Amino acid sequence: IGPRPPGSKAMCHAQDFLKEVLCNLGAGNVHTEPVPVFAWRQAPSHVELLSPRRRCFESFQHVHSAPGKVSASVLDAGSADDEELDRLGRHVQGAILLIHEHQVSGTKYVPPPQRIQKVVERGAVAAIIRNAYQIGCPAIDLAGISEDAPIPVVGISYEDGQELASSARRRHC
């Protein structure tokens, strides 16, 4: 049972309840001790395209991603697999990568934290994850598990991702 954050009455009640349940079940030496709790706090997020025309996209900061304000060129990195990142080469350095969320289609699944780590290693300054499904809402996922991803990672809808990808292709042809 983890620590009691200051001012968290609900957490205190939950810990007391769990302690009581465990004692009632016959557990011995039930006690609490401090345990670091890695938590995510939602922050405001937006993606703004400045060229060819100014446009704001609804976005959602991914769980366990770094906060920050980034301005850079957007590159369509597809699924951000090694082949695609190799194709983009040095252009990844200092860019914001538009990454397509994994679709269940018989391809190898690479967890988002591993994909984010690959783009960080290649020098990307942020990542935008495009929802794989045409449902009109931003993609939401874990950008990290045991620590924050060192770059901002936000999710956008499939439709907005299509528009961003089209704009990126026009600028980098």
Side-chain angles (χ1 to χ4, degrees):
I1 301 174
R4 294 181 177 195
S8 176
K9 289 184 182 183
M11 183 63 78
C12 292
H13 290 299
Q15 288 177 346
D16 292 340
F17 174 78
L18 287 174
K19 186 175 177 181
E20 183 179 332
V21 168
L22 291 170
C23 289
N24 289 340
L25 291 172
N29 193 24
V30 177
H31 62 280
T32 63
E33 58 186 68
V35 175
V37 176
F38 187 62
W40 170 77
R41 290 177 191 86
Q42 181 178 354
S45 168
H46 73 278
V47 172
E48 184 176 7
L49 180 66
L50 301 176
S51 174
R53 66 181 177 92
R54 193 175 207 109
R55 169 126 154 66
C56 278
F57 299 98
E58 177 186 7
S59 67
F60 196 87
Q61 181 187 5
H62 276 222
V63 178
H64 301 310
S65 70
K69 184 176 181 174
V70 177
S71 181
S73 294
V74 175
L75 291 178
D76 187 351
S79 62
D81 58 20
D82 288 329
E83 182 179 307
E84 188 65 32
L85 294 173
D86 287 344
R87 184 186 69 75
L88 293 171
R90 64 178 177 75
H91 298 290
V92 171
Q93 185 75 33
I96 299 170
L97 297 190
L98 176 63
I99 301 171
H100 305 216
E101 188 178 46
H102 180 79
Q103 288 183 290
V104 180
S105 61
T107 60
K108 180 182 177 185
Y109 175 73
V110 177
Q114 288 179 6
R115 294 184 340 166
I116 297 303
Q117 187 57 42
K118 284 182 180 191
V119 302
V120 166
E121 290 168 0
R122 306 248 184 156
V125 295
I128 301 171
I129 310 297
R130 184 191 84 183
N131 197 329
Y133 304 100
Q134 297 179 24
I135 55 176
C137 65
I140 302 170
D141 217 327
L142 291 171
I145 301 295
S146 60
E147 59 186 39
D148 282 346
I151 61 173
V153 180
V154 298
I156 61 172
S157 71
Y158 174 88
E159 296 80 5
D160 290 345
Q162 290 292 91
E163 186 175 336
L164 273 178
S166 176
S167 176
R169 281 190 298 274
R170 281 193 301 273
R171 283 194 312 273
H172 292 96
C173 288

